[in-house]
Amino acid sequence: MNAFFHLCRWEVRRLLRTGTARATLGLLFVAGLLALGAADREIDRQAREIASLDAHYASALAVVAEHHAPRAHAGEIAYYTFFPTDHPAPALAKLSLGLRDLVPAAVWVRLLGLEGQLYSSAIGNPAIQALGPFDLAFVVCALAPLALLLLAHDLLSRDRDHGLLPLALTQAASLPRLFAARLLVRAAAVAAVCVALWVIALLWLALPFNLAALAWLADALLHLACWTAIAGLIAATCRSLSASLATAGTVWVGAVVVLPALLNLAVATAYPVPEGLALTVRQRQETHAGWDRPKPETFAQFFRTHPEWRDTAPVTVRFAWKWYYAMHQVGDTSVAADAATYRAHLLARAAATERLAWFVPPVAAQLLLSRRAGTDLESHLAYLDRIRAYHAQLQDHFLPLVFAEREITSADYAAFPRFRPVFSPASAGTALERLPLLLATFALAALSLRAVRRVTP
Amino acid sequence: MLPVARHTFTELSRDGRFRLTAALLVVLTVVAGLAGWQQVRALRAEAAAAAAGERGRWLNQGDKNPHSAAHYGIYAFKEPRPLAVVDPGVQAYLGSTVYLEAHKQNEPLYRPAQDGTALQRFGDLSPALVGQALLPLLVILLGFAAFAGERERGTLRQLLALGVHPVDLLLGKALGFTAALALVLAPLAVLGIAAAAVLAPAGQRTDELLRAVTWAAAYAVYLGAFLFLTLAVSALARSPRTALVALLAFWLVGVVALPRALSDLGRTLHPTPSSIAFRTELEAALGDPHGRETLEAQRVAILKQYGVTKTQDLPVNWSGIALQFGEERANGLFDRFYQNLWSTLVAQDRIFQLGALLSPAPALQLVSQALAGNDTAQHFAFLTQAEHHRREMQRTLNGALRDSKGSTAAFAWGKIPPFVFSPPPFATALAPVTLSLALLVAWFAFTALLALASLRRLRA
């Protein structure tokens, strides 16, 4: 063991003397810092947006109060009021943005039909969104494997090309031992850069040091372990320097660029989700068709979901707020099944992605890292559910006032229900989630061990 | 020069690795193209069905107050463009439909990208991705040893001793590589031209074909720049390995990292306003009570014009006039707010354009999207046309309401034409990316000169 330790120390010194290795590790580090900065700015921007909600809400309420002084029908006040909801980014979002730059961090809701309000997007530059976020998760999933391959693909082929392999072997007891020392040293160097970036993130961005943060790092390192096995396999099987370089390049482009894009195409083709558009259009049509529908018909449908108002007297005037809100609720109810289908299809798509990720380590890692950070699709869907619950709460508050034809003054505004954001609890995840990456790592490690045993100088 | 070209080409066509990689890339291009074709057709059918349904509903509204119809509104759909087959651009990140209603300019709805999974962020596989990211890699792998390899083997000295002029050597090799690359580039061009020929509506076929041909030419220029760069580096480098590492580093920084860094820089320099701030400020401006005073002044003026004292006595329906007055006041606000928002996004894109000084990739990306009709500028064109349609529709409906006094005839809904998006023609589409186009050509010229200049190092 002591001999192996000395061998490793010797390899570390050798590695750090080469310009290419220093440049590779340095560039990886700089890319990581830039990524941290980019993600930090994006999340801070969202935090500022969320922080401004209260002020916007207060000033909007002041305008409503001014226009409806001294008192006005509760239905009218509700019509003109926008209620803020927000989805604060979990702390680790600064490590992996996930979907955060696509989906809104805050949504205003009104007492009107909800389905048409849920699918608004964050204002963003489409050309920029299409590139995908630049965050530490991207560095870990895409760039770190490349750095590792660049450092480790030529473990043996370089010395062999130069005819130095026999000489190098005199330093070590055996070829597998030399191979292991060299591979582990290079993997450790890349891992050290990643750990350093993680530590910097924790200190610089003041992220909480907890189990989830540790689990994030563990997942990132697991992904690197998988790539260490891949690098080992390439180094052990390719005889010449140009062959190992070409193979490493092909494997990286395949795993990071081509396969994920190909899988994306396959998932989108196999699980089309046309409901998103159809749902929005239908909800709008259903709600507006309410204007032409006889009022008793609208109420009959409304009472089916809200039996507590069954005893309301028929509305005979041309317009009444209770009829207006009943009409919107009927619009929502009529697309409820569509909304459920849409959601089910989104989840089916996510599940299919997860299954396919078994075969592509960077995708598996991307999934794990965005789940650790709570920036995945599930977390956004959970936010939509909270908005639904809040909308129901608003109805519970306003409908009794509206059906009682109550007028309210600005003094009553303070009693409006407010949305309470939920900070998604940091979770360390389960062993099962990591099974694909673990299995891939073990399988590849076994293959490369077998290959190393067969290598001849 | 020609013997060198012939030799280079023969050598490549016998190289098993080149054949395998080229075949893989061709398969990838074709798979991506066919999938894109299928997607464009599905999206188009969806949009057409939805638009036809909306039109039918609109025409059969029967006896209804024009203003209720205006509130009910109508959806404007944007059909996918033919060249989305080869470059979907930002299509998935934009709304493909806008709701047109009374009093309000809405934001486009529903972006398919929101339905994405973790995979989405790795990018969509499209022929454009193959051309922008993978083909340059193929060029590098083909050419990195062109001079450096011959130098290492000692054959370079022999060739020069035989009296082959270095310029002939360079051009010959470039020609040979070009011939080999043309085989891989051809499917890309064929796909684009076929999509334009088959999918374009009759009136736009010539325009789309022009776009497709220019599109393929832009990729040829881009790959040409990479080819000369590769040859230059190969001539300058001490060993093939150094050449390869330097070129791969350039690819990684210029093609993979730079676009992301540029987008971040753009957002930092020109921050996008938050949706919340945008909407509340707009709502506040719309709700400005000042509007009521001006409306009142307008009422007094109209009463004076007709010489009556009460709105009921007017020969026209006052509510039509009042509604149109409200529309026009709001339109001015919409113009101001949306122009502000869009100019921020354009400023961000400007940073991206300037980034092409560092690598040809951002230049090609923008030119390619613009030619395919899937860039931000042409999305704004769709939104502008939809908004224009909305305003015309409101004007007609409010006019009908104004003149409806004493008449009970139902409004002829067919008077409002269906919305049809007419994409900007070729020259208009290219105008916003002139700088990118110029920089792309400049990269080609620069790398060609660099390659010529590097020849001086050959004898060393």
Side-chain angles (χ1 to χ4, degrees):
Chain A
M1 206 59 228
N2 204 18
F4 186 71
F5 179 71
H6 278 293
L7 186 59
C8 287
R9 229 173 51 181
W10 160 251
E11 283 297 332
V12 170
R13 246 181 279 149
R14 211 177 69 110
L15 181 71
L16 293 182
R17 266 206 311 267
T18 37
T20 332
R22 280 202 304 239
T24 310
L25 294 171
L27 277 176
L28 183 67
F29 184 69
V30 171
L33 289 182
L34 290 176
L36 282 176
D40 181 46
R41 275 193 294 281
E42 175 64 21
I43 294 298
D44 277 350
R45 195 186 58 71
Q46 297 184 6
R48 276 199 304 278
E49 179 177 349
I50 290 172
S52 74
L53 288 176
D54 277 339
H56 278 298
Y57 178 65
S59 66
L61 271 191
V63 173
V64 171
E66 189 192 323
H67 288 185
H68 300 92
R71 52 182 57 248
H73 196 284
E76 187 171 340
I77 300 294
Y79 179 83
Y80 284 106
T81 310
F82 289 72
F83 299 93
T85 72
D86 59 312
H87 185 199
L92 293 185
K94 290 184 177 180
L95 298 182
S96 32
L97 285 170
L99 287 175
R100 286 294 304 197
D101 65 328
L102 274 184
V103 298
V107 172
W108 289 102
V109 293
R110 294 167 77 187
L111 195 57
L112 314 181
L114 179 64
E115 291 299 334
Q117 306 178 55
L118 280 181
Y119 310 106
S120 69
S121 333
I123 293 182
N125 189 329
I128 289 174
Q129 288 172 337
L131 283 170
F134 183 52
D135 54 8
L136 197 57
F138 173 77
V139 172
V140 165
C141 291
L143 301 184
L146 183 67
L148 186 56
L149 286 182
L150 278 179
L151 296 183
H153 74 92
D154 57 353
L155 290 180
L156 300 178
S157 54
R158 174 195 283 265
D159 281 350
R160 191 183 280 126
D161 267 20
H162 295 167
L164 293 173
L165 196 53
L167 187 71
L169 272 177
T170 58
Q171 310 268 337
S174 71
L175 194 139
R177 197 167 260 237
L178 177 74
F179 184 88
R182 288 187 169 177
L183 184 60
L184 289 181
V185 161
R186 281 155 182 81
V190 175
V193 173
C194 291
V195 173
L197 287 167
W198 179 83
V199 171
I200 289 173
L202 248 51
L203 297 176
W204 177 30
L205 309 177
L207 304 186
F209 177 72
N210 57 22
L211 206 56
L214 275 174
W216 193 96
L217 181 65
D219 287 342
L221 294 179
L222 176 60
H223 181 236
L224 279 184
C226 187
W227 279 94
T228 307
I230 294 174
L233 193 58
I234 293 173
T237 45
C238 293
R239 302 275 314 171
S240 77
L241 194 56
S242 60
S244 64
L245 190 57
T247 314
T250 314
V251 167
W252 183 79
V253 170
V256 173
V257 182
V258 178
L259 272 181
L262 206 57
L263 291 186
N264 191 16
L265 192 68
V267 169
T269 315
Y271 296 87
V273 188
E275 291 87 358
L277 177 58
L279 179 69
T280 333
V281 174
R282 259 203 68 198
Q283 194 266 353
R284 193 62 91 138
Q285 287 179 349
E286 289 290 340
T287 309
H288 279 269
W291 288 98
D292 301 333
R293 204 185 296 125
K295 293 192 177 67
E297 214 174 282
T298 302
F299 274 111
Q301 286 186 39
F302 174 69
F303 296 151
R304 240 173 273 153
T305 50
H306 293 70
E308 62 273 29
W309 306 109
R310 216 170 12 211
D311 303 326
T312 312
V315 172
T316 50
V317 289
R318 214 182 118 232
F319 181 87
W321 284 109
K322 55 186 168 194
W323 165 70
Y324 182 77
Y325 290 115
M327 182 172 93
H328 271 274
Q329 177 55 45
V330 168
D332 262 0
T333 314
S334 65
V335 293
D338 293 345
T341 318
Y342 174 49
R343 188 196 174 93
H345 283 190
L346 281 186
L347 289 173
R349 208 184 236 201
T353 308
E354 211 161 318
R355 282 196 299 277
L356 288 170
W358 278 73
F359 307 100
V360 194
V363 177
Q366 170 78 25
L367 278 172
L368 281 176
L369 295 179
S370 57
R371 193 169 289 166
R372 282 303 77 71
T375 52
D376 53 350
L377 180 70
E378 283 84 351
S379 112
H380 178 62
L381 290 179
Y383 172 48
L384 294 187
D385 282 344
R386 288 197 291 278
I387 301 181
R388 282 202 174 87
Y390 175 62
H391 188 260
Q393 215 183 325
L394 286 174
Q395 284 188 326
D396 288 344
H397 179 82
F398 280 104
L399 289 187
L401 299 172
V402 170
F403 275 78
E405 309 288 356
R406 276 270 306 280
E407 297 208 317
I408 58 175
T409 67
S410 54
D412 298 312
Y413 295 178
F416 293 169
R418 296 298 308 274
F419 182 83
R420 266 176 241 298
V422 170
F423 293 87
S424 20
S427 100
T430 59
L432 193 66
E433 279 176 48
R434 301 180 170 94
L435 199 60
L437 261 189
L438 277 171
L439 282 182
T441 308
F442 280 124
L444 288 163
L447 279 177
S448 52
L449 273 181
R450 216 181 64 154
V452 173
R453 290 218 188 87
R454 290 181 177 181
V455 171
T456 48
Chain B
M1 178 175 120
L2 282 180
V4 180
R6 209 170 303 130
H7 174 73
T8 311
F9 182 74
T10 328
E11 214 173 39
L12 272 180
S13 56
R14 283 192 195 137
D15 181 351
R17 250 183 315 170
F18 167 71
R19 287 211 303 233
L20 181 69
T21 324
L24 270 178
L25 286 175
V26 169
V27 169
L28 215 54
T29 311
V30 172
V31 166
L34 292 182
W37 197 296
Q38 159 70 22
Q39 241 160 19
V40 165
R41 283 189 35 181
L43 278 174
R44 178 174 278 202
E46 239 173 80
E54 276 284 279
R55 184 70 188 159
R57 182 187 64 66
W58 177 261
L59 290 178
N60 297 312
Q61 292 189 105
D63 190 9
K64 187 193 250 176
N65 181 318
H67 190 59
S68 331
H71 264 283
Y72 199 144
I74 196 144
Y75 281 95
F77 297 94
K78 182 179 159 207
E79 279 198 350
R81 305 292 302 280
L83 289 185
V85 169
V86 287
D87 189 353
V90 293
Q91 187 177 253
Y93 295 84
L94 299 168
S96 54
T97 171
V98 193
Y99 186 61
L100 310 178
E101 61 177 333
H103 311 310
K104 238 168 134 182
Q105 172 168 6
N106 286 307
E107 275 166 72
L109 282 170
Y110 188 63
R111 304 169 193 200
Q114 274 189 293
D115 294 348
T117 58
L119 284 168
Q120 180 92 52
R121 308 333 293 280
F122 285 94
D124 294 308
L125 180 63
S126 63
L129 177 77
V130 175
Q132 287 166 18
L134 302 183
L135 289 187
L137 214 49
L138 179 69
V139 173
I140 291 172
L141 292 180
L142 288 185
F144 77 93
F147 292 113
E150 296 226 30
R151 175 159 32 212
E152 204 173 55
R153 286 196 302 273
T155 44
L156 187 62
R157 208 173 282 273
Q158 286 174 16
L159 273 173
L160 295 175
L162 279 172
V164 180
H165 196 277
V167 175
D168 280 347
L169 198 58
L170 172 76
L171 293 181
K173 278 182 185 287
L175 200 63
F177 285 127
T178 308
L181 280 171
L183 297 175
V184 192
L185 191 61
L188 222 63
V190 169
L191 260 173
I193 292 170
V198 177
L199 294 173
Q204 291 158 20
R205 191 157 296 144
T206 327
D207 193 78
E208 290 290 349
L209 278 172
L210 186 57
R211 282 168 181 256
V213 172
T214 319
W215 185 83
Y219 280 80
V221 171
Y222 175 71
L223 293 180
F226 264 98
L227 180 57
F228 276 125
L229 182 72
T230 304
L231 291 174
V233 172
S234 185
L236 294 171
R238 265 173 307 167
S239 74
R241 195 179 129 87
T242 321
L244 183 57
V245 169
L247 287 165
L248 284 181
F250 179 77
W251 178 83
L252 189 68
V253 173
V255 179
V256 180
L258 182 70
R260 285 179 169 82
L262 285 175
S263 72
D264 185 50
L265 184 67
R267 254 191 306 198
T268 311
L269 293 180
H270 303 282
T272 324
S274 77
S275 337
I276 299 286
F278 179 77
R279 275 172 213 147
T280 38
E281 278 163 28
L282 180 59
E283 289 292 334
L286 287 172
D288 182 6
H290 193 63
R292 295 183 189 183
E293 290 158 28
T294 31
L295 179 63
E296 182 51 28
Q298 173 88 354
R299 197 179 70 96
V300 172
I302 295 264
L303 289 179
K304 203 170 164 194
Q305 184 191 331
Y306 284 99
V308 291
T309 49
K310 278 188 246 157
T311 43
Q312 296 97 290
D313 301 336
L314 283 171
V316 291
N317 192 337
W318 163 247
S319 68
I321 299 173
L323 285 168
Q324 185 55 28
F325 178 77
E327 283 294 336
E328 266 151 34
R329 194 181 78 85
N331 289 348
L333 292 172
F334 293 138
D335 284 342
R336 208 181 75 216
F337 274 82
Y338 279 95
Q339 280 314 321
N340 262 343
L341 175 63
W342 292 353
S343 61
T344 308
L345 301 190
V346 168
Q348 291 176 355
D349 281 355
R350 191 99 199 142
I351 303 284
F352 202 87
Q353 279 204 325
L354 288 174
L357 287 168
L358 303 173
S359 151
L364 179 70
Q365 218 167 316
L366 290 175
V367 169
S368 170
Q369 285 176 1
L371 286 168
N374 291 314
D375 65 342
T376 319
Q378 280 164 89
H379 179 63
F380 291 159
F382 162 67
L383 295 182
T384 309
Q385 287 181 25
E387 175 62 8
H388 179 73
H389 186 77
R390 184 188 79 82
R391 292 179 185 181
E392 281 302 305
M393 179 173 140
Q394 297 313 317
R395 219 158 48 82
T396 314
L397 290 172
N398 289 333
L401 196 61
R402 183 192 62 210
D403 303 333
S404 69
K405 190 136 188 175
S407 122
T408 51
F411 180 72
W413 301 109
K415 271 192 211 162
I416 308 272
F419 172 74
V420 183
F421 171 55
S422 51
F426 178 77
T428 320
L430 268 186
V433 292
T434 319
L435 178 66
S436 300
L437 202 60
L439 284 174
L440 187 60
V441 176
W443 265 100
F444 183 81
F446 166 70
T447 50
L449 289 176
L450 188 70
L452 282 174
S454 70
L455 292 177
R456 260 183 297 167
R457 286 286 298 273
L458 281 190
R459 289 178 195 279

